[in-house]
Amino acid sequence: MADASMIKYNLGKFGYTFFEIAEKNIVDNLIIEIIKNKEKRYMKAIPFIIYQSYTESSKKPYLNMKNLYMKSMESNLIREVNAMLYITSEIFIISGDREDMIRDISKYLEEHSSEKEINIFEIIFKNKEGTASIEFEDYAKNDKINWIDFGEFLNDFMMHKSLRESHGKKTLKESIEISHNRDILIYLSRLFSPKQREIIEKIINEKPLDKTEYEYYIRIIKKRLNAIAELKKLAETAMGKRPKRAQIDNK
């Protein structure tokens, strides 16, 4: 098993605890070591260290996708690496970050994964409806991925990204604003698709919508926003009350 103290040290160098990156680090090595270690708290760090990485070997830290594949094969971890890359790509899509890595990960999964495997990941990690199979059960029982909660991974990534952005801020007001924006992004991701969030952002920033976007907003998004606005008071009332549990009849 990989040395946990070494993993923790290397995570710090990648910015996970905001230590300075003093030398060129190879991200693919660290990803493999984390998966081997099986520590949940370190697994959650993988999307963030990929976010911090570059694809050019002249920069640091450096993620070599070809090396990652070779090392995953050597370590018999191809399934686990595919799962972590799938989750990372979905997080980047939601957060609107690292379009370059989204493309690279998509290309990687096209080459080294399968449509069936991606469907299994969607069922396991995103609660998508699907048909279980022997192969599905095999994935679901894998002790390196079967505990993964997509929401927890997303929240952990957004927290560290916000901390990185707010690191060095001089005022409490700026830090609170960043935290608030992070929370809004998470809530929006639960209710709206990436395209819907893009249209909402355009409206808030007073940017013009094209004909298709305008019609989509009127037909779908506006109705959902109206429903959320109407439910606000109901939600506040319900959240303000303590739920009562029914008494168990022992007779």
Side-chain angles (χ1 to χ4, degrees):
M1 181 179 292
D3 184 353
S5 62
M6 183 57 67
I7 289 175
K8 186 176 181 180
Y9 170 72
N10 282 325
L11 283 177
K13 291 193 295 180
F14 279 108
Y16 204 66
T17 51
F18 310 110
F19 295 166
E20 196 69 30
I21 300 175
E23 70 272 359
K24 188 169 86 172
N25 294 280
I26 308 303
V27 182
D28 40 280
N29 288 337
L30 184 54
I31 290 173
I32 295 297
E33 290 305 306
I34 289 173
I35 295 175
K36 284 181 180 178
N37 185 265
K38 302 181 184 180
E39 274 280 346
K40 297 179 182 179
R41 55 182 174 154
Y42 298 149
M43 295 275 276
K44 290 179 185 178
I46 290 176
F48 184 76
I49 64 173
I50 293 178
Y51 168 75
Q52 291 280 71
S53 74
Y54 298 89
T55 54
E56 297 89 352
S57 59
S58 61
K59 297 183 178 180
K60 55 185 182 182
Y62 170 45
L63 175 57
N64 186 313
M65 300 294 281
K66 184 177 180 180
N67 284 352
L68 179 61
Y69 173 70
M70 296 299 294
K71 289 168 186 173
S72 69
M73 291 292 288
E74 292 169 3
S75 305
N76 195 28
L77 293 173
I78 184 68
R79 178 182 301 175
E80 292 79 4
V81 168
N82 285 353
M84 292 310 308
L85 288 177
Y86 168 81
I87 287 173
T88 298
S89 177
E90 290 296 313
I91 288 174
F92 288 172
I93 290 170
I94 289 173
S95 65
D97 287 298
R98 294 307 307 266
E99 291 185 4
D100 57 334
M101 285 308 306
I102 293 173
R103 289 193 298 270
D104 286 350
I105 291 172
S106 177
K107 182 179 178 181
Y108 180 100
L109 292 177
E110 284 178 6
E111 293 178 359
H112 306 304
S113 186
S114 66
E115 186 176 341
K116 180 181 287 186
E117 183 174 64
I118 297 300
N119 186 52
I120 289 173
F121 291 157
E122 290 176 344
I123 296 170
I124 294 176
F125 304 135
K126 299 188 72 179
N127 299 318
K128 180 181 177 181
E129 292 186 4
T131 304
S133 63
I134 294 176
E135 187 175 6
F136 172 85
E137 293 296 327
D138 189 34
Y139 276 73
K141 291 175 182 177
N142 184 311
D143 64 357
K144 299 184 189 71
I145 65 175
N146 66 356
W147 57 270
I148 291 174
D149 183 294
F150 180 78
E152 286 185 12
F153 268 65
L154 174 63
N155 291 347
D156 188 85
F157 172 82
M158 296 303 297
M159 178 187 70
H160 280 89
K161 180 173 179 287
S162 295
L163 287 173
R164 177 177 177 272
E165 291 170 348
S166 64
H167 188 57
K169 294 285 184 180
K170 294 181 179 180
T171 67
L172 177 62
K173 181 181 178 181
E174 289 172 316
S175 298
I176 291 174
E177 183 177 351
I178 288 173
S179 178
H180 177 66
N181 290 340
R182 177 205 69 197
D183 291 340
I184 288 177
L185 185 60
I186 292 172
Y187 296 143
L188 281 173
S189 70
R190 295 172 181 170
L191 297 171
F192 297 96
S193 69
K195 181 60 181 178
Q196 291 171 339
R197 294 197 302 274
E198 180 184 329
I199 293 173
I200 292 172
E201 185 177 352
K202 279 188 175 181
I203 292 172
I204 292 174
N205 294 327
E206 299 182 347
K207 294 182 178 179
L209 304 179
D210 61 32
K211 183 176 182 295
T212 302
E213 290 173 330
Y214 180 81
E215 291 176 353
Y216 187 41
Y217 171 73
I218 296 297
R219 189 164 43 88
I220 303 293
I221 301 173
K222 185 176 181 180
K223 292 178 181 178
R224 186 169 296 181
L225 288 172
N226 283 335
I228 292 171
E230 291 296 326
L231 288 170
K232 181 176 182 293
K233 187 174 181 180
L234 174 64
E236 291 174 347
T237 301
M239 294 293 288
K241 294 183 179 294
R242 184 175 181 179
K244 297 179 181 179
R245 298 181 64 180
Q247 295 294 323
I248 299 175
D249 189 355
N250 293 320
K251 293 181 180 181

